Amino acid sequence: MSGDPETLRADVRAWLQRNVPADWRAAMTGCDQDAFVRAQRAWFDKLVQAGYATPHWPAGWPGGGRSLAEQKVIYEEIARADAPRLILFFVALYHAACTLIEWGSEAQKREHLPGILQGRVWCQGFSEPNAGSDLAAVRTRAELRGEHYVVNGQKIWSTLAQHADHCLLLVRTDTAGPPQAGLTYLLLDMRAKGVSVRPIAQITGDDEFSEIFLDEVKVPVANRVGAQGQGWAVAQSTLASERGLTLVELSHRMRYALSRITGLMRERGVEADAALRRDLGRLAPKVDATCALADQYLLKRIEGTEAPGDASIVKLHYARTLRDFTALGLRIAGLKGQYREPFIRGGGMETGNWPFDFMNSYNWTIAGGSDEIQRNIIAERMLGMPREPKDWRLSGERT
């Protein structure tokens, strides 16, 4: 599918004006998880039917086969319309779908891709208590017994796993050789015997993340993605799927949300405050630069010139700018900004609930690879600097 991006922009903008749920922010403020899930499903169904949920999927799927330029237009307009974010289906639409499209068997694609469009929810089982940003340190074990892997271990920080039907599971099948070589990638049925999920209460009052406990869980060999020991390569494809378009949408959401900061200044009568005007003047070009970096990165992907580290630059700049954005909003809000108010489920990273936004902004300095990891990638893969030692106590010894 291809066409004129600006014609598409007009079509998407008109559709969003008709279909974005009216007063969705008010409805999602302080609501419980059940109400949130119902609202997410209703919005997801609308986007699927319109073909705007899966423009990144191949041709032949609803709305699939769009060029990257057209995909960019769709996500820019979704950000402009301040539509609800599809948090519940994010892993299914990107991580699961893109991994299966690239690595999955034909049987796996037939089984799972239609299910995603029908509303099946996926979560990601990568991080562990002692293996967060360092996936090579994964210790959850999977032992091959006949036609099944038997899995034991624990995963953590799995987004909305309490609602998931399936999980993208990274496990260790071998301890010999380099740690990356011993990883295998499995598709886990979250209803399987031995799987238990415990939501994590966060400082924000949300329970977006969960722990997953795996006790003698049987996973059919047919649910392995790629070959045994190929999990590291498959996982890199999974992680790459969330970059590019996601950061385009999030950076543009932040740009449009600048009006919340200027509106707050007017509301509190501090438009003339020289220090606040100075800090707003510094923030606005940083937000514009984040959008420009995200757009430039997507252009490189369109042209096929993307280099290792390009995505890390965008992610790192976005995370730091978001911290500055929410900190300024919290500061302008004054004493009221210290109040704990109900948060908006399904909102962006800049909802205008400044205490929640400020605390939540720290997620992005960790999730998807911490700032430190991004700096390492930029230094080592882009700038050619020496790799950091495995152990800082080994004076000068390189990995």
Side-chain angles (χ1 to χ4, degrees), residues 324-347:
D324 292 344
F325 183 102
T326 58
L328 181 58
L330 188 68
R331 180 176 154 208
I332 295 170
L335 181 60
K336 187 179 179 181
Q338 308 302 313
Y339 298 167
R340 179 180 176 182
E341 298 179 354
F343 61 89
I344 302 171
R345 294 188 187 273

Side-chain angles (χ1 to χ4, degrees), residues 40-208:
Q40 286 275 294
R41 289 192 180 281
W43 180 231
F44 173 76
D45 289 343
K46 282 188 174 184
L47 286 169
V48 168
Q49 292 170 18
Y52 297 145
T54 51
H56 56 295
W57 286 28
W61 296 98
R66 294 278 189 186
S67 67
L68 277 173
E70 290 174 307
Q71 294 174 45
K72 177 175 178 288
V73 165
I74 292 171
Y75 287 94
E76 283 178 349
E77 289 302 312
I78 287 173
R80 181 182 182 277
D82 189 33
R85 294 183 61 226
L86 281 178
I87 298 172
L88 182 64
F89 297 97
F90 183 83
V91 173
L93 288 170
Y94 293 91
H95 299 75
C98 295
T99 301
L100 288 168
I101 288 167
E102 182 174 353
W103 288 91
S105 67
E106 290 305 314
Q108 289 169 345
K109 293 175 186 178
R110 286 195 303 269
E111 179 181 359
H112 295 298
L113 292 177
I116 290 173
L117 295 179
Q118 293 162 10
R120 304 291 282 181
V121 177
W122 287 70
C123 65
Q124 184 172 306
F126 282 18
S127 295
E128 297 180 6
N130 294 305
S133 295
D134 183 11
L135 290 182
V138 160
R139 294 192 296 181
T140 293
R141 292 298 305 274
E143 180 184 347
L144 183 59
R145 300 180 191 170
E147 293 301 312
H148 291 81
Y149 287 96
V150 178
V151 183
N152 289 278
Q154 177 187 357
K155 297 295 179 177
I156 198 168
W157 306 122
S158 184
T159 302
L160 297 173
Q162 63 268 44
H163 302 294
D165 301 295
H166 302 283
C167 176
L168 302 171
L169 188 66
L170 194 62
V171 298
R172 182 162 298 285
T173 49
D174 192 358
T175 56
Q180 293 91 335
L183 299 178
T184 297
Y185 200 107
L186 303 176
L187 306 178
L188 170 68
D189 183 347
M190 292 293 285
R191 307 297 188 269
K193 182 180 178 181
V195 178
S196 57
V197 180
R198 182 187 302 164
I200 299 170
Q202 298 165 233
I203 191 174
T204 58
D206 197 358
D207 51 359
E208 179 184 0

